[in-house]
Amino acid sequence: MDLNGLISTITTSTAALVAIIGGFLVSRVISLSSEQTGIKRRIREIDNDLLAKKELLQNIENYLLEEDAKDFLKDNIKKLLQMESLSEIINEDKYNYRSEEELKPYFNEMQNIMQELFTLFDKLEELDDDFDDFYKKNNHHLKDIEKRDLYEIAYDGMMDWVSSQSQSSDPFALALNYRPPISNLPSVNLEYRDKKREHDRLYDDIRVLELQIEEQRKILNDYGKPRGVWGGFAVLVYACIVGIIYPSMLLPYPTDTYNDNLTKYWLLILFFSQLVALFVYLGFAMFKLMKDES
């Protein structure tokens, strides 16, 4: 029995099916790759935006901490002059919400500034009531002129404290002219208020961006595990083996060598098995697609 025609038909039909299904799979892989590239680009954009906003937020937090520390030092300058510890001052201050760890660098710096001013006062013949006048005359004696706000807090506090002790026997206090106390009326810091609002806005923006990037990474992880592609690839490999490679090895088919009937039925069974595998794969893929849509 001449089976060359049957074998050629099987290999040709299988090759056509493999080409069609393979084309769909290649298209699917290219589409997945393109979508992955788009998601990765979106993740990089969100990362850059997130990094920029975090940097802005950190700068604002540093500004707010510095302003809160200045307010804390200004409100408690007399306690610093009385050599109270930082922990004691924090426990007594009802309006402070900063931790000891946050305020400690500013506290230490203020102590150094007060010591510096005490040393400078001993060398001066006369002290000015107004800090601006004192600063203009003596800023070249100060170690860090960039800390002007801290010097002003320390100077005003020291002058007020000494003025309150002017009736005592302290010879240093008696040598100073009386200076009226600084007004305790709170001033409205518009810049601080604006920074606080911007801080809250940036915090919300960062939270939204973190949620977005988390969702994008979940989507990317799903694309990294495409459903159905490997199953289709396995079906194609099986079809190529049983429908092209194996039958091709029988060409040209030798007559009166094998059991022709058995060989014919075996080739047909293999051909039908690849069709069954192909239709089962397509049916399963359609079922999953319809299930996901519902």
Side-chain angles (χ1 to χ4, degrees), residues 4 42 290:
N4 288 306
R42 175 59 179 161
M290 295 176 65

Side-chain angles (χ1 to χ4, degrees), residues 99-117:
S99 66
E100 182 175 351
E101 182 180 356
E102 291 175 319
L103 295 174
K104 189 172 183 60
Y106 298 92
F107 179 82
N108 294 336
E109 190 171 19
M110 178 56 72
Q111 286 184 318
N112 294 333
I113 288 176
M114 289 191 300
Q115 184 63 42
E116 179 186 348
L117 290 179

Side-chain angles (χ1 to χ4, degrees), residues 265-282:
Y265 289 121
W266 175 243
L267 290 174
L268 290 175
I269 289 173
L270 292 178
F271 178 72
F272 293 145
S273 68
Q274 70 173 335
L275 292 180
V276 171
L278 177 61
F279 285 118
V280 168
Y281 165 73
L282 291 177

Side-chain angles (χ1 to χ4, degrees), residues 156-220:
D156 291 341
M158 292 165 68
M159 294 296 289
D160 287 342
W161 183 73
V162 170
S163 297
S164 66
Q165 303 293 325
S166 59
Q167 302 301 323
S168 68
S169 60
D170 187 354
F172 177 76
L174 292 174
L176 296 174
N177 296 325
Y178 174 75
R179 184 171 184 267
I182 300 175
S183 173
N184 291 324
L185 293 176
S187 59
V188 179
N189 191 335
L190 297 179
E191 184 179 4
Y192 182 93
R193 186 176 61 185
D194 292 340
K195 291 287 187 181
K196 187 66 176 177
R197 290 176 179 175
E198 187 176 359
H199 173 274
D200 296 337
R201 180 184 62 81
L202 284 173
Y203 184 84
D204 293 337
D205 290 346
I206 288 174
R207 181 55 183 160
V208 171
L209 290 175
E210 288 176 343
L211 292 175
Q212 287 182 358
I213 200 169
E214 182 179 352
E215 187 63 26
Q216 291 293 322
R217 283 172 177 164
K218 288 181 180 179
I219 296 174
L220 181 61

Side-chain angles (χ1 to χ4, degrees), residues 240-258:
C240 289
I241 292 174
V242 303
I244 297 177
I245 297 176
Y246 176 71
S248 298
M249 295 176 63
L250 298 178
L251 291 176
Y253 183 77
T255 56
D256 300 329
T257 301
Y258 306 110

Side-chain angles (χ1 to χ4, degrees), residues 38-279:
I39 295 173
K40 291 178 181 178
R41 184 184 302 111
R42 175 59 179 161
I43 290 177
R44 287 195 298 269
E45 292 174 355
I46 297 176
D47 263 333
N48 293 334
D49 195 10
L50 188 60
L51 182 62
K53 288 185 181 294
K54 283 184 175 180
E55 185 175 353
L56 289 174
L57 182 65
Q58 184 61 51
N59 293 335
I60 292 176
E61 286 181 344
N62 293 338
Y63 169 84
L64 295 177
L65 174 59
E66 184 174 352
E67 291 300 313
D68 290 339
K70 289 178 183 178
D71 291 340
F72 172 80
L73 295 173
K74 187 175 182 180
D75 294 340
N76 299 280
I77 189 65
K78 291 183 179 180
K79 296 178 181 179
L80 269 75
L81 291 168
Q82 294 170 0
M83 305 301 293
E84 291 190 27
S85 66
L86 177 59
S87 58
E88 291 175 344
I89 298 175
I90 290 178
N91 292 332
E92 294 171 1
D93 192 342
K94 299 179 181 180
Y95 303 101
N96 173 62
Y97 59 91
R98 294 292 184 174
S99 66
E100 182 175 351
E101 182 180 356
E102 291 175 319
L103 295 174
K104 189 172 183 60
Y106 298 92
F107 179 82
N108 294 336
E109 190 171 19
M110 178 56 72
Q111 286 184 318
N112 294 333
I113 288 176
M114 289 191 300
Q115 184 63 42
E116 179 186 348
L117 290 179
F118 273 125
T119 304
L120 181 59
F121 288 172
D122 290 337
K123 300 177 181 179
L124 299 178
E125 296 180 357
E126 183 182 0
L127 295 178
D128 297 284
D129 290 340
D130 186 69
F131 173 78
D132 291 334
D133 296 334
F134 167 81
Y135 186 80
K136 290 177 182 178
K137 296 176 183 178
N138 302 284
N139 63 70
H140 57 282
H141 293 303
L142 304 178
K143 294 181 179 180
D144 191 353
I145 59 175
E146 294 182 358
K147 304 293 184 180
R148 187 185 189 281
D149 292 343
L150 295 181
Y151 279 106
E152 183 175 6
I153 293 173
Y155 185 87
D156 291 341
M158 292 165 68
M159 294 296 289
D160 287 342
W161 183 73
V162 170
S163 297
S164 66
Q165 303 293 325
S166 59
Q167 302 301 323
S168 68
S169 60
D170 187 354
F172 177 76
L174 292 174
L176 296 174
N177 296 325
Y178 174 75
R179 184 171 184 267
I182 300 175
S183 173
N184 291 324
L185 293 176
S187 59
V188 179
N189 191 335
L190 297 179
E191 184 179 4
Y192 182 93
R193 186 176 61 185
D194 292 340
K195 291 287 187 181
K196 187 66 176 177
R197 290 176 179 175
E198 187 176 359
H199 173 274
D200 296 337
R201 180 184 62 81
L202 284 173
Y203 184 84
D204 293 337
D205 290 346
I206 288 174
R207 181 55 183 160
V208 171
L209 290 175
E210 288 176 343
L211 292 175
Q212 287 182 358
I213 200 169
E214 182 179 352
E215 187 63 26
Q216 291 293 322
R217 283 172 177 164
K218 288 181 180 179
I219 296 174
L220 181 61
N221 185 57
D222 291 337
Y223 277 114
K225 301 175 182 178
R227 293 175 297 178
V229 175
W230 287 110
F233 179 75
V235 171
L236 288 182
V237 171
Y238 176 75
C240 289
I241 292 174
V242 303
I244 297 177
I245 297 176
Y246 176 71
S248 298
M249 295 176 63
L250 298 178
L251 291 176
Y253 183 77
T255 56
D256 300 329
T257 301
Y258 306 110
N259 188 328
D260 295 342
N261 286 327
L262 182 61
T263 302
K264 180 182 72 173
Y265 289 121
W266 175 243
L267 290 174
L268 290 175
I269 289 173
L270 292 178
F271 178 72
F272 293 145
S273 68
Q274 70 173 335
L275 292 180
V276 171
L278 177 61
F279 285 118

